[in-house]
């Protein structure tokens, strides 16, 4: 299968799969359009006039068991069918000029050429990633049920063995957020003192203290390739703070590489786009903004929340971004078009944490109503509500199996003899390695972690949403939580200036 790109997508005539699928899609769209026009039809409300109109168009004036309201609905249906057959669009006979003006008025803010190019780049980046994700999901769907049950038992057994391995005083004031680096060996902490610190884990020794903010740090996020292929002198980290600045950091300097200004109030969470070229920031000025990392310029100022925006996170493909506000509403935005893809309306208190599942279509939100809601973008509604904590849910994070564990090296995954000769034992090893890789890919997104102001960190299964493990901390308020991509460490930050590390009991640290 050839790689899907922006240009090939435009020329792909089989994007719906088959001629039959296209015809079915056209029928559905035509029916939706007919119903939309039917709602605007001017029909009488008097039952005698409804009967007279039915008689006039040659329809029975009444059916067995039909009430007046049903009769009027039938008249609307018949008239809409007649208008559709005639191709007559002039169906709003008594529509007010006010309504027509409102419908015709379109509000938009003209974007820059840089934003237009960025949207195209985002589409070109996200399409092949989405194609690969869907292809992997098709492979996963063919895994036998017995094998899936075995994987779940194995993964959840490891999750249930998580325990506290240490606590470290991280700063002079509460630590607002913790995030592991992509190599799982460095932890970044953002503090209310305005500093960002980098720590070796699990040793918990300080690597560097980054000073550049004049107020409390609200969020930190790593470049997707930081500590891996990204050079130490390049942008590796981003932070946002109460001084209304978004700072970009390298790993070999205490001063920021760039300071991006534009917000009119304090900044809470920040996020790096999977491409590493863009950064998003959520602010108390009721907006979230998209920034270009290379030029350090603001590309997009996005409104849409009625109160402060607290959380923001990108989808793994890079096509979507989700924002959560203190108006108790979350929104999913399509970065390629600028449109709202879904409204997450269901919480009764502000949303403090938001995260996309690695499957690409599920979203978890944690809020001040003590619950986690799971949303499904395929059905555009809430899938499940977890009564997670007895106080605010401050953060939610899905487990992402981006890296193979240390005990599964590439050499083990391709264990063959030289000269092309493969013995039975080596074939067995190769088969076992393939099973291990399949299992590791499947476990991505199989569980999630949450933190709450009740002093607990909790781990949940991400298929039946059941509690797997409750971890206690040394504080009454847990501010954030994060998981390493190898599944061997979990970190949480607390209001009492500490951060804690957790690991399965059988994993050497």
């Amino acid at each position: 299968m050839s790689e899907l790109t922006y240009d090939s997508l435009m020329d792909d005539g089989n994007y719906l799969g088959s001629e039959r699928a296209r015809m079915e899609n056209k029928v559905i769209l035509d029916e939706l359009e007919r119903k939309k026009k039917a709602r605007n039809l001017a029909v009488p409300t008097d039952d005698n006039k409804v009967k007279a109109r039915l008689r006039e168009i040659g329809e029975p004036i009444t059916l067995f068991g039909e009430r007046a309201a049903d009769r009027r609905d039938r008249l609307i249906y018949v008239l809409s069918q007649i208008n559709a057959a005639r191709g007559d669009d002039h169906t709003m006979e008594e529509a007010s000029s006010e309504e027509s003006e409102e419908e015709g008025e379109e509000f938009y803010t003209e974007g820059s050429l840089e934003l237009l190019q960025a949207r195209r780049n985002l589409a070109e980046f996200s399409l092949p990633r989405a194609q690969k994700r869907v292809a992997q999901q098709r492979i996963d769907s063919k895994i036998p049920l017995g094998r899936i049950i075995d994987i779940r038992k194995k993964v959840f057994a490891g999750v249930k063995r998580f325990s506290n391995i240490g606590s470290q005083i991280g700063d002079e004031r509460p630590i607002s957020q913790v995030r592991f680096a992509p190599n799982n060996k460095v932890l970044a902490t953002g503090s209310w003192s305005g500093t960002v610190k980098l720590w070796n884990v699990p040793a918990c020794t300080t690597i560097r203290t980054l000073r550049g903010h004049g107020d409390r740090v609200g969020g930190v996020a790593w470049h997707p390739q930081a500590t891996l292929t990204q050079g130490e002198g390049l942008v590796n980290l981003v932070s946002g703070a109460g001084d209304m600045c978004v700072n970009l950091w390298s790993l070999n300097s205490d001063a920021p590489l760039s300071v991006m200004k534009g917000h009119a109030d304090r900044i809470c969470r920040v996020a790096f786009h999977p491409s590493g070229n863009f950064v998003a920031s959520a602010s108390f000025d009721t907006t979230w903004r998209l920034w270009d990392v290379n030029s350090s310029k603001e590309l997009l100022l996005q409104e849409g929340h009625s109160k402060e925006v607290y959380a923001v996170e990108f989808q793994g493909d890079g096509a979507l971004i989700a924002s959560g506000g203190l108006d108790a509403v979350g929104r999913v935005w399509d970065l390629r078009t600028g449109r709202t893809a879904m409204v997450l309306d269901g919480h009764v208190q502000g949303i403090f944490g938001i995260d996309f599942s690695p499957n690409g279509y599920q979203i978890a939100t944690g809020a001040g109503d003590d619950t986690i809601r799971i949303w499904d973008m395929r059905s555009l509604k809430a899938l499940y509500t977890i009564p997670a904590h007895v106080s605010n849910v401050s953060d939610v994070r899905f487990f992402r199996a981006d890296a193979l564990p240390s005990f599964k090296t590439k050499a083990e995954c391709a264990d063959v003899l030289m000269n092309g000769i493969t013995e039975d034992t080596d074939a067995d090893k190769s088969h076992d390695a393939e099973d291990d890789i399949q299992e590791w890919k499947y476990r991505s997104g199989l569980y999630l972690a949450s933190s709450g102001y009740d002093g607990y960190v909790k781990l949940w299964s991400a298929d039946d949403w059941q509690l797997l493990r409750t971890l206690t901390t040394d504080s009454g308020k847990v501010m954030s939580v994060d998981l390493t991509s190898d599944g061997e460490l979990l970190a949480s930050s607390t209001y009492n200036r500490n951060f804690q590390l957790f690991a399965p009991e059988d994993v050497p640290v």
Side-chain angles (χ1 to χ4, degrees), residues 40 92 94-106:
N40 296 321
M92 297 179 61
E94 297 179 4
S96 66
S97 58
E98 243 177 60
E99 290 176 352
S100 62
E101 283 177 10
E102 287 177 4
E103 288 179 3
E105 183 181 359
E106 182 178 2

Side-chain angles (χ1 to χ4, degrees), residues 151-176:
I151 293 174
R152 287 182 80 256
K153 287 181 178 179
K154 182 178 179 180
V155 172
F156 294 161
V159 170
K160 292 176 181 178
R161 291 196 297 270
F162 266 94
S163 61
N164 195 325
I165 62 170
S167 180
Q168 173 69 39
I169 296 177
D171 208 276
E172 301 170 354
R173 299 198 65 194
I175 299 176
S176 55

Side-chain angles (χ1 to χ4, degrees), residues 227-241:
T227 67
L228 298 176
T229 60
Q230 187 81 340
E232 288 191 358
L234 303 176
V235 175
N236 279 263
L237 191 71
V238 64
S239 62

Side-chain angles (χ1 to χ4, degrees), residues 389-460:
H389 295 265
V390 295
S391 190
N392 297 348
V393 180
S394 57
D395 203 3
V396 287
R397 297 290 286 177
F398 279 96
F399 168 66
R400 286 176 172 78
D402 295 333
L404 286 174
S406 56
F407 55 86
K408 290 176 186 156
T409 63
K410 290 183 179 179
E412 289 174 331
C413 295
D415 189 6
V416 293
L417 290 180
M418 296 177 63
N419 301 323
I421 302 174
T422 306
E423 296 181 352
D424 292 341
T425 56
D426 295 289
D428 292 340
K429 288 181 181 179
S430 178
H431 180 71
D432 291 341
E434 290 177 3
D435 287 347
D436 288 342
I437 294 174
Q438 181 189 57
E439 174 190 323
W440 189 252
K441 289 181 178 179
Y442 183 82
R443 71 167 59 194
S444 186
L446 207 52
Y447 61 92
L448 73 154
S450 68
S451 59
Y453 277 19
D454 55 1
Y456 293 107
V457 172
K458 296 186 178 183
L459 294 159
W460 310 86

